[in-house]
């Protein structure tokens, strides 16, 4: 396989990694962002365990989409690479994946609870409750654990009949969030949105434990304001 | 309609938008601030979905107060513009409006609870509990949703016989806060005060679930210390 | 009364005002710090309602300790000046007073609960639970409210037989904390310590609602490690 | 005893002290980091009560590992020095110790509860629940208190049959966390990780009070991913 120039993709993925740091989603070296070049058949991902403030774009590692071998870069890729690969393989429409251990989202993942859609901030980003996976089983954890994590994410979205566009986020039980989007920047923005709505939901439930989700018509209105053919939020040609 | 020079108003509204960012009330591109020029019959408002750190004063959009058409600016105005317009039309005394998705205030909005006046920080800014609107109905949400949001805010304040000066804030149920004031800077300050007292109230209730509001005489004293003819807080000519 | 050069005291009080801002205890223009010059019979205090980022040392106002008239400075003193004065008059050993509306401490004040000594961080600064005043009565609030606030603080400390050195902080019910110390810098540090232990206590109680205070022998050891003749914390001549 | 050049160790311990400040674990002058030079038989530790922003590497104090006398430095060592010494003496494999009063970890210590392993962030750093010591008894507190604190930490780890490598952290009841590691930087990182997982655990329990710990197979996988001979996280020679 010939590797194309990776400068642009590395810059974009580097920026997504910095975005989650600046947004306060990262403690120590937890978390990672990646982006895909489908024509070249590879992804670019953060190296494992490198401090974010030392990370340079050229440190990002390129990994083959099909078999996961390193095709460019001097460092070891993130240990979560197989999870990223599983998502890219299953969802052709996504261009970036982000994983964090952001506190509020992790709390929901550790509680084993799906994050309910309690308001319009949620509905602006996620088309319904953000699912939580089932707990991973011993053989999954003992074997190819990170690949199995990807499989369990896909199983969960499939079980809920959710597309990656409708639901650009998931909570892996007892672990934390993965988010995705058309590119790594959008995936980072979804990680930020998820942490924010997770914190809002925790505080809402503390005030009103029995609160229910917003009605479907409000969820639809807000999600469609920002996503799909009828979107009217943001800048388009007037 | 001839459009007057907007430099000064754009600077003020730009600054109000930056103020809510610096105060930590903004995640991603959520939220918007506007200001009005009543003589010219227009408002100036943040463009939709533009990142705050790229926003320049000249990007702010001018919109006619009467019919909402864009009268100056290259970009699309905030999708919440009709809500702002409804407030400016109904309350002649306000000069600025701010909308945020700040976390603690959203928690109260999502809980569907009015924010009680539990202390003097609250009373310094809001003359009684900050009301929460009723949930919006399906036809309101499916139709001219943002204009209907403005109508529901007005309906709620009218129902509680509150003036815009006495109560410069509201919680839109399942959505979040709108605040206002004599100008966009004051509206931004009220957004900051609201987030602060919302956080204080949540923490107070966690400690003492049955806590009641402060007595009227304390509410009056603090509100009148800062507002109206007997105010003695801040700098006036001595 | 001849006013001495105030440069040094103004610098110190200005710094104490900046310290509470940098520590995150201040929202908008809430809060104020003061310091006393007992030989000159005056205090220096923050002017009312001036934004902290515009505050210069020369803006600080000098007020006579005996009758509260302004003796130097162009601006109106903090509206809380009579509370500060009441504390300086009653406690000859204090040199600085700080008032904030910091969130966690306000939550305890709004809950009307004394802040229990749940750990050594508390004991390092406060010799027992930080008291909360009784609610202020209507005549007190309607009359010379800020002076009455000072009187209620003194009444509360007297009722608990606490000296200002043993207990350099109080929670005014439904309002917020006042702290003090040998100088304005120490008062600011006590405001920071109070906010920290208030947040710790709230989180502790959320985990373990029935938790009791630490034993007296641990309280004594930590308080005496830092205060009084047997202190061995910090730098002294070895 | 001849004292070797301490420049390198002082720089490392100074950096560890700065790391816990930058991570938000420090209020006022609480907390301290130290590192050991076993060949020279000494530790280097923060001086007592010196503000972190004034601290220079040359201010750090060298103390003999065997008898705790100061062997280099002009200032008094941290009052917690005997606790650090007790840990270095008992655990030959540790090279750095950190003590903080970080809020979320203190809340667990004040609640007197061990911090359960509720997710993979915890398991990445701590091999099981982080123990809490028993309350310290009056003679321990009245006597050589700081040395007794070290003894109680050791007693607790011994009682749980935990090595310092498996469990690089403890909560001293009613006090706060101590952490350690191969060097002072690793000890600081463990202090950061501990505060993060403490906050996550508090938020998880608020959502789901009855939540149980993660299964052993998940704990093992994550701990071994990062620690010991089979570690595959981070950068090694490929």
């Amino acid at each position: 396989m010939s590797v194309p120039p990776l400068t642009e993709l590395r810059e974009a993925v580097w920026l997504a990694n910095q975005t989650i740091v600046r947004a306060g989603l990262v403690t120590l070296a937890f978390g990672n962002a990646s982006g895909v070049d489908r024509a070249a058949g590879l992804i670019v991902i953060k190296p494992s365990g490198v401090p974010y403030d030392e990370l340079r774009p050229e440190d990002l590692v390129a990994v083959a989409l099909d078999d996961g071998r390193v095709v460019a870069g001097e460092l070891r890729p993130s240990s979560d690479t197989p999870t990223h690969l599983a998502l890219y393989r299953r969802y052709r429409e996504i261009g970036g994946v982000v994983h964090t251990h952001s506190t509020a989202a992790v709390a929901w993942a550790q509680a084993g609870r799906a994050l309910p859609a309690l308001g319009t901030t949620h509905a602006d980003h996620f088309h319904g409750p953000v699912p939580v996976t089932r707990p991973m089983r011993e053989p999954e954890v003992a074997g190819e654990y990170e690949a199995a994590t990807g499989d369990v994410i896909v199983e969960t979205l499939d079980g809920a009949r959710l597309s990656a566009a409708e639901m650009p986020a998931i909570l892996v039980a007892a672990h934390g969030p993965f988010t995705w989007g058309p590119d790594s920047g959008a995936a980072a923005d979804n990680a930020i949105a998820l942490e924010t709505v997770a914190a809002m939901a925790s505080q809402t439930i503390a005030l009103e434990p029995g609160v229910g989700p917003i009605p479907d018509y409000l969820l639809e209105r807000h999600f469609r304001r920002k996503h799909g053919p009828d979107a009217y939020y943001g800048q388009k040609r007037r």
Side-chain angles (χ1 to χ4, degrees), chain A:
Chain A
M1 178 174 133
S2 82
V3 179
L6 294 167
T7 312
E8 201 173 333
L9 184 57
R10 271 180 166 149
E11 285 284 347
V13 174
W14 177 85
L15 187 59
N17 277 291
Q18 299 299 329
T19 296
I20 59 175
V21 173
R22 286 203 314 268
L25 307 191
V26 170
T27 304
L28 297 172
F30 306 168
N32 37 71
S34 69
V36 71
D37 180 337
R38 292 201 181 264
L42 59 80
I43 74 166
V44 157
I45 193 163
K46 182 174 175 289
S48 182
V50 172
Y52 281 89
D53 55 1
E54 299 174 8
L55 189 69
R56 301 163 307 166
E58 59 266 34
D59 294 329
L60 294 171
V61 187
V63 172
L65 190 49
D66 53 5
D67 63 5
R69 75 191 183 285
V70 172
V71 293
E74 301 299 309
L75 300 168
R76 224 190 248 197
S78 165
S79 55
D80 295 312
T81 300
T83 317
H84 290 241
L85 289 172
L87 293 168
Y88 287 115
R89 287 177 194 142
R90 175 64 172 76
Y91 303 109
R92 304 265 329 156
E93 66 271 38
I94 68 178
V97 172
V98 164
H99 172 49
T100 82
H101 285 220
S102 64
T103 302
V106 164
W108 284 86
Q110 291 189 159
R113 289 177 62 170
L115 182 67
L118 299 182
T120 63
T121 322
H122 186 115
D124 284 336
H125 296 91
F126 309 108
H127 193 232
V130 177
V132 64
T133 68
R134 61 168 173 77
M136 293 185 69
R137 300 180 188 116
E138 184 156 9
E140 291 167 337
V141 172
E144 299 292 324
Y145 169 52
E146 292 84 4
T149 301
D151 293 343
V152 169
I153 293 172
V154 169
E155 172 195 318
T156 305
L157 292 174
D158 281 353
R161 295 177 180 277
L162 286 164
S163 73
E166 283 174 307
M167 185 49 60
I170 199 147
L171 302 167
V172 176
H175 188 154
F178 282 82
T179 60
W180 45 85
D183 55 36
S184 57
D189 283 356
N190 284 328
I192 295 170
L194 180 64
E195 178 65 8
T196 298
V197 298
M200 288 172 173
S202 292
Q203 293 184 23
T204 302
I205 281 177
L207 288 171
E208 201 65 42
V211 69
I214 59 174
D216 280 349
Y217 60 80
L218 188 59
L219 179 72
E220 284 298 320
R221 177 75 191 215
H222 270 266
F223 193 75
R224 299 301 166 207
R225 228 166 59 141
K226 286 203 165 182
H227 302 88
D230 299 329
Y232 61 99
Y233 176 91
Q235 299 301 325
K236 309 236 166 118
R237 256 160 228 93
R238 281 187 290 136

